[in-house]
Amino acid sequence: MNLAASAAVPFETPATRARLLAKAADIHSLAPSVETGPLVLKSGDEVVVRIHAAAVNPSDVKAATGLMPYAVFPRTPGRDFAGTVVAGPSELIGTEVFGSSGDLGIRRDGSHGTHMVVPRDGLVAKPASLSFAEAAGIGVPFVTAIEGFRRAGLPGEGDVVVIMGVNGKVGQAAAQIATWRGARVIGVVRRSETYAGHASARLEIVDASSEDVAERVMALTDGQGATIVFNTVGDPYFAAAHKSLAKLGRQILIAAINPIVDFNIFEFYRGRHSYYGIDTLALSCAETGNVLRELLSGFESGALKTFPVTPAAQFPLERIADAYSAVMSSSRDRVFIMPESAQ
């Protein structure tokens, strides 16, 4: 598919979209409006996508409450999307696409509406085997996981990957990618539970509520430790991750509850460790599209699987506040906005 052909502009269509007029004081006061008005395509470098499904991420909600200092107001939120191209290069009209971005829904209007304007080099062709909701659910979790591994070094056979918070969406995506590539995965959970996601090999589980995580990881690896620790939680597991690393081990960090941690510099340099901070909000549509394309073969082969789409986690556009509340209530389901009813 050629995504770089010339587009006929301008183009205008009515669109119904969620709008954040100003930052909310907290999640309880978050009340996005739903407005209908013209959406205009002005640039030949962009297309209009009719949205069939859009996932809701914690970052969407955090940005609405002012936790992302670079978020603009007013705007339409939403980073992840799947839909059909309705304006742009003639050969793309009718193409089913999906995508994500660090700027969509944060620094520019995003996907929580019936239509959105997207840079055309950020579009990824949707595999025919995936529904729109399944494709929309890939976005932020898988991009975060693969970007972490790309920065720290992709795992493979012989590597041990410890995933802190393995039952979260990024944790599950990281487990899928690591086992797909042949690595051994040890997943850390906060209470007694099994791994909830898909994997290409069996995961070993460490229950942080009843075991010393670092001691258990060392026991499972005959004292060698982990090649990579993917810390999806941040500071609560920082010390355990630090002590779980092998010589030349790498820790990937994507989140924090408290920004300040104790740091043993001796252990760090004596272990020759490396730490990698991952912020997918820094990725453009084009950069995110390139990351997603790296994963397509995994989804097409079945080695990677999308998150389940449950009826209770699909919300019409007019119930966007309920969808946001579900995400911030730590829903185990991937939450979606399904805007078709607004069209």
Side-chain angles (χ1 to χ4, degrees):
M1 180 196 308
N2 179 9
L3 300 181
S6 59
V9 292
F11 172 88
E12 182 174 320
T13 186
T16 301
R17 298 180 287 172
R19 298 294 287 171
L20 299 172
L21 303 180
K23 71 177 182 180
D26 51 53
I27 183 59
H28 303 293
S29 59
L30 181 60
S33 61
V34 178
E35 304 175 1
T36 299
L39 182 146
V40 179
L41 176 66
K42 300 177 180 179
S43 170
D45 294 327
E46 298 178 320
V47 303
V48 175
V49 175
R50 177 186 172 194
I51 302 298
H52 300 303
V56 183
N57 297 286
S59 59
D60 297 324
V61 186
K62 292 175 182 177
T65 58
L67 294 180
M68 310 297 183
Y70 33 76
V72 300
F73 295 91
R75 73 176 186 283
T76 296
R79 297 175 64 188
D80 297 340
F81 67 92
T84 303
V85 177
V86 295
S90 59
E91 63 269 31
L92 293 183
I93 304 301
T95 302
E96 296 179 350
V97 296
F98 75 106
S100 182
S101 177
D103 53 0
L104 289 174
I106 307 292
R107 293 181 288 270
R108 58 180 290 160
D109 287 337
S111 61
H112 294 168
T114 59
H115 299 76
M116 69 183 298
V117 175
V118 188
R120 64 190 182 197
D121 53 7
L123 299 179
V124 181
K126 183 183 76 66
S129 59
L130 301 183
S131 70
F132 284 107
E134 288 172 332
I138 293 172
V140 169
F142 277 93
V143 169
T144 304
I146 189 63
E147 181 65 7
F149 286 137
R150 277 163 38 116
R151 290 275 311 282
L154 290 169
E157 292 185 9
D159 287 325
V160 176
V161 178
V162 171
I163 301 174
M164 306 288 193
V166 73
N167 272 335
K169 293 298 179 284
V170 176
Q172 290 183 35
Q176 289 202 43
I177 293 167
T179 56
W180 174 38
R181 293 185 56 82
R184 175 187 177 190
V185 173
I186 299 171
V188 177
V189 295
R190 63 181 179 179
R191 56 178 177 268
S192 179
E193 60 185 8
T194 58
Y195 175 57
H198 168 73
S200 297
R202 184 181 69 86
L203 271 63
E204 298 157 285
I205 298 298
V206 176
D207 177 5
S209 69
S210 62
E211 302 175 277
D212 182 287
V213 172
E215 288 183 3
R216 184 59 179 154
V217 168
M218 287 299 175
L220 289 171
T221 60
D222 297 323
Q224 297 302 304
T227 314
I228 298 173
V229 174
F230 203 126
N231 187 347
T232 74
V233 181
D235 51 288
Y237 287 132
F238 182 83
H242 184 76
K243 293 180 180 297
S244 297
L245 286 171
K247 298 293 184 182
L248 298 174
R250 295 98 76 190
Q251 182 178 179
I252 301 166
L253 292 150
I254 67 167
I257 299 172
N258 297 304
I260 307 300
V261 296
D262 289 330
F263 181 65
N264 189 318
I265 297 175
F266 286 155
E267 290 179 354
F268 173 70
Y269 71 69
R270 288 172 179 165
R272 292 174 289 168
H273 297 158
S274 300
Y275 287 0
Y276 296 86
I278 305 303
D279 181 10
T280 58
L281 291 174
L283 299 180
S284 68
C285 269
E287 291 168 327
T288 305
N290 289 334
V291 172
L292 287 170
R293 290 183 195 97
E294 289 189 24
L295 298 171
L296 279 180
S297 64
F299 288 107
E300 290 167 344
S301 70
L304 301 179
K305 294 188 181 298
T306 59
F307 299 108
V309 180
T310 62
Q314 299 178 53
F315 293 83
L317 192 56
E318 59 268 21
R319 290 187 58 205
I320 189 169
D322 293 334
Y324 280 21
S325 179
V327 169
M328 296 313 289
S329 298
S330 300
S331 170
R332 283 295 181 95
D333 293 324
R334 193 79 160 105
V335 175
F336 298 91
I337 300 298
M338 310 296 287
E340 298 285 3
S341 61
Q343 299 187 55

